Amino acid sequence: MPERKGIRGLFRRRVPKVGAALGSGGAKGLAHLGALQAFAENGIAFDVYAGTSAGAIVGALSARGYTPRDIVELFTGQSYGGAALGAMLKGSLEPLVPVVDDALGGCAIEELGKPFCAIATDAESGAQVVLRTGNAARAVLASSSMPPLFRGMRSGVRSLADGAFCNAVPGDAARALGADFVIGIALSPVSRYRETEYITSSGEKKVYKQTGFACCDILLEPDLSAFRATDVQYGAQMYDIGYTCAQERMGEILRALRRAPAARNER
């Protein structure tokens, strides 16, 4: 006799697959965690994550299953702080690889709990590189290697630099991962990203007209103008700004999600 599914099983509402596009910004990435906490409190769960620079680190940890508060504890822990200081002194994010790799369980991107990608810039050609496979820790740190503060990070035969030059808020990448509805968080006004420049390792200037942020259905721009990307000491304030920004627009976001079409049927 066939199993009876019941009315809810037969008429389950289609819901959109929600993606997070987490933008670059160094220490200002603490605002991402405040916003993600607000989303969690309002029942919004993300299905895919795309991130650039600080957004890549937060996105990978979130895809691995960390809560925003878990990530805050990681960032403020002694092991992370010591490695971050070593990275600043050496001008390379290599000292952070063991710490981030340990936090991510030594896994590859394709082994994270949810779909994820990190955006980087090819140091030689200036081309955008979308990292969807390989060691997750090295990928997110390559995405965060902002010159001249940090040297590029090797990935195979390539040297990769910060993805902010080519795609600072990767809404298009989140959509490519399968998101039906994308919420982006820009840690600087997107007007700064409409045209960006990068000098390749050979000295050639590349000019980008970024469009990733325009692929977001909702774009949050928390006001972090009082802070710099290196202002780690103000992490608590930036977290609160991200949280407040998301909460202030939560009604709009929830209404938009209810109206959003879905390409899949939740089972």
Side-chain angles (χ1 to χ4, degrees):
M1 183 175 181
E3 179 185 355
R4 297 180 64 182
K5 295 184 178 180
I7 293 175
R8 291 187 66 185
L10 291 171
F11 299 101
R12 188 162 301 202
R13 188 176 76 85
R14 291 166 62 86
V15 296
K17 191 173 186 179
V18 184
L22 305 177
S24 63
K28 292 189 284 186
L30 270 295
H32 284 319
L33 299 173
L36 291 177
Q37 180 63 33
F39 292 133
E41 291 176 5
N42 285 273
I44 297 176
F46 290 95
D47 300 286
V48 306
Y49 294 88
T52 299
S53 195
I57 297 174
V58 171
L61 290 166
S62 299
R64 184 63 172 163
Y66 283 80
T67 69
R69 287 174 178 155
D70 290 336
I71 302 173
V72 169
E73 289 183 10
L74 174 66
F75 285 173
T76 55
Q78 288 187 345
S79 60
Y80 184 88
L85 177 60
M88 295 290 291
L89 293 173
K90 292 186 176 182
S92 168
L93 290 179
E94 286 288 346
L96 274 170
V97 172
V99 177
V100 178
D101 194 49
D102 182 65
L104 290 169
C107 72
I109 292 174
E110 54 271 36
E111 297 170 334
L112 294 171
K114 293 184 178 180
F116 166 79
C117 70
I119 306 299
T121 303
D122 187 299
E124 182 176 351
S125 69
Q128 174 177 285
V129 179
V130 181
L131 299 166
R132 296 184 60 172
T133 60
N135 180 264
R138 295 198 67 84
V140 301
L141 292 173
S143 176
S144 307
S145 294
M146 174 64 76
L149 193 60
F150 300 113
R151 295 188 295 276
M153 182 167 287
R154 301 300 302 182
S155 176
V157 298
R158 296 181 298 191
S159 178
L160 301 179
D162 199 299
F165 295 106
C166 55
N167 196 351
V169 185
D172 51 348
R175 207 167 288 284
L177 287 175
D180 305 309
F181 188 93
V182 178
I183 300 173
I185 305 176
L187 302 179
S188 296
V190 294
S191 58
R192 291 184 54 184
Y193 304 137
R194 295 187 187 281
E195 186 171 294
T196 51
E197 295 181 356
Y198 177 71
I199 305 299
T200 69
S201 56
S202 62
E204 181 183 1
K205 183 171 77 172
K206 294 283 187 176
V207 178
Y208 307 92
K209 295 187 182 299
Q210 296 194 26
T211 58
F213 61 84
C215 295
C216 298
D217 296 284
I218 294 286
L219 182 62
L220 303 184
E221 296 182 80
D223 184 3
L224 300 167
S225 57
F227 306 100
R228 296 171 297 178
T230 55
D231 283 343
V232 293
Q233 68 272 31
Y234 299 117
Q237 292 95 313
M238 293 187 280
Y239 177 99
D240 289 343
I241 290 170
Y243 180 87
T244 299
C245 177
Q247 287 286 22
E248 287 177 346
R249 294 188 62 186
M250 197 59 65
E252 172 195 354
I253 293 168
L254 291 170
R255 288 191 296 273
L257 278 169
R258 285 194 290 268
R259 296 192 301 266
R264 66 171 185 168
N265 195 12
E266 288 289 286
R267 298 183 184 272

